[in-house]
Amino acid sequence: MTMLLKTFGGIAAGAALATGALAQDVTPTAKEIRGPSPYVAVENEPAPKLIVDPPLPEGLAQGVFWAQYRVENLRIVPVFGPGALSVSPRVGHLHVIVDDLPWWWADASDNNTIDIAGLPPGEHKVTIALVDPNHNVIPGQVVILPFTVPASAPTRHVHVAK
């Protein structure tokens, strides 16, 4: 009987410890998700990193390119010019180029999704570059996404009222 009580006691103690361990909150902190506070300078900032997902098939079926992105160790904000190079935490924005056209646009919205509508069916390519406030590409932070808009996608034209 004593051995049985010791066994049950050991099992109960182990269950209590396991339950306590499982009940611990493992929710990531705001800093772990969002990065450092903008109110405190960051010493020895790690290099910025651009992560871009492939375009969403639901958009391509409509002739729309939607690609979600995120950055690490840089904040996407509409701040430009030489003075912004010394801001800490680091700031910058994206340059987006469609089909190797000679022009691009700057995206400083940080809404986490690039949205390009009205693409005709066929092969396309979108280049997304992470840049500093002076529009200089951060080395190694360019993502090129080739994709196909299916022939079944509707073709839409934007009409501007005159």
Side-chain angles (χ1 to χ4, degrees):
M1 182 70 162
T2 303
M3 183 61 134
L4 187 59
L5 289 174
K6 284 182 182 178
T7 302
F8 283 130
I11 292 172
L17 288 173
T19 302
L22 292 175
Q24 290 179 358
D25 187 6
V26 292
T27 303
T29 67
K31 183 177 182 178
E32 290 171 332
I33 299 296
R34 301 281 303 181
S37 169
Y39 297 108
V40 179
V42 176
E43 299 295 325
N44 302 313
E45 287 184 271
K49 186 173 181 182
L50 172 65
I51 298 98
V52 184
D53 293 346
L56 297 173
E58 297 88 348
L60 295 179
Q62 302 173 52
V64 178
F65 173 93
W66 289 321
Q68 292 183 274
Y69 68 89
R70 69 182 179 87
V71 296
E72 294 176 355
N73 308 316
L74 182 140
R75 292 179 190 270
I76 301 287
V77 293
V79 176
F80 305 95
L85 291 173
S86 60
V87 171
S88 177
R90 186 183 292 113
V91 297
H93 58 279
L94 302 177
H95 284 177
V96 181
I97 303 164
V98 178
D99 292 336
D100 293 323
L101 291 169
W103 53 268
W104 48 262
W105 74 89
D107 183 345
S109 68
D110 196 24
N111 73 355
N112 116 325
T113 303
I114 301 292
D115 181 351
I116 306 168
L119 293 165
E123 301 292 320
H124 296 280
K125 176 172 68 171
V126 170
T127 303
I128 303 166
L130 187 60
V131 301
D132 70 21
N134 282 340
H135 307 285
N136 298 306
V137 175
I138 295 170
Q141 299 309 305
V142 176
V143 174
I144 300 171
L145 297 173
F147 61 95
T148 302
V149 173
S152 59
T155 55
R156 297 185 184 143
H157 300 282
V158 176
H159 298 281
V160 178
K162 294 182 183 181

